[in-house]
Amino acid sequence: MPFSFLVVNGPNLGCLGKRQPEIYGTKSLQDIPALLDKFFGPNVQDMIRLEFYQSNHEGAIIDRIEQAREEGVDGLIINAGALTHTSLALADCLAWVQIPFIEVHISNVMAREEQIRHTTLLGRYARGIIAGFGILGYALAIKGLYEYLNDSKNPLHA
């Protein structure tokens, strides 16, 4: 049975590929399946069931993550955009739902505005953080989360 992953994107991320390409690149979320084929091969759907969700609204994102818990989603990939640095409510949600997740940033946030972007309120609850690889970061996060969950189901790695 494949793992089910929810890929959550926060404010402004629905415009990837158009929005500030000098920072975020020219690829969009629709380019992710081709990247996954490179990592997993053409039978990726046999291993991972992916759902994508994007909202510009903090409460809607929290509602969707809480719903994912009820649905038994195995893992989350989250690019919360600016909410990463500002939303205690989102951090609290990720802490209590206890779904393993990886935080993704398209740009290298450590090379950007120090006052705000060097802080992540979500990171302390994440299995890992991937930043600076463009949309490739999503594929890296999915691969990493898949490997983590696959290993954790193996009694020798638990």
Side-chain angles (χ1 to χ4, degrees):
M1 190 161 134
F3 288 116
S4 67
F5 291 172
L6 175 63
V7 181
V8 178
N9 287 284
N12 300 308
L13 291 164
C15 295
L16 286 179
K18 299 178 239 171
R19 173 184 171 227
Q20 296 174 285
E22 69 281 4
I23 296 174
Y24 302 107
T26 58
K27 301 226 185 254
S28 72
L29 296 177
Q30 288 73 32
D31 294 309
I32 293 173
L35 291 173
L36 294 178
D37 286 347
K38 288 182 182 179
F39 281 103
F40 293 100
N43 297 326
V44 65
Q45 297 83 9
D46 295 337
M47 301 162 63
I48 303 168
R49 191 177 71 243
L50 283 176
E51 178 186 342
F52 289 85
Y53 177 81
Q54 190 275 326
S55 178
N56 293 323
H57 305 282
E58 178 182 35
I61 293 168
I62 291 168
D63 288 345
R64 184 62 190 99
I65 292 169
E66 289 176 347
Q67 180 184 346
R69 179 180 182 270
E70 297 302 315
E71 294 168 350
V73 166
D74 297 304
L76 301 170
I77 308 301
I78 185 162
N79 182 345
L83 294 175
T84 301
H85 318 291
T86 62
S87 179
L88 186 57
L90 182 55
D92 285 348
C93 174
L94 288 165
W96 85 263
V97 297
Q98 297 185 345
I99 301 172
F101 75 95
I102 295 182
E103 181 180 322
V104 172
H105 300 282
I106 294 168
S107 69
N108 179 358
V109 291
M110 297 309 288
R112 296 185 63 197
E113 305 90 346
E114 187 173 331
Q115 298 291 1
I116 188 78
R117 294 192 197 268
H118 288 200
T119 301
T120 169
L121 299 178
L122 316 181
R124 70 179 297 181
Y125 306 109
R127 292 294 318 153
I129 299 171
I130 296 174
F133 290 96
I135 67 158
L136 177 61
Y138 290 93
L140 294 169
I142 291 165
K143 175 71 171 163
L145 193 55
Y146 174 82
E147 295 298 333
Y148 165 74
L149 290 172
N150 208 34
D151 282 351
S152 66
K153 290 189 183 243
N154 181 339
L156 296 176
H157 296 98

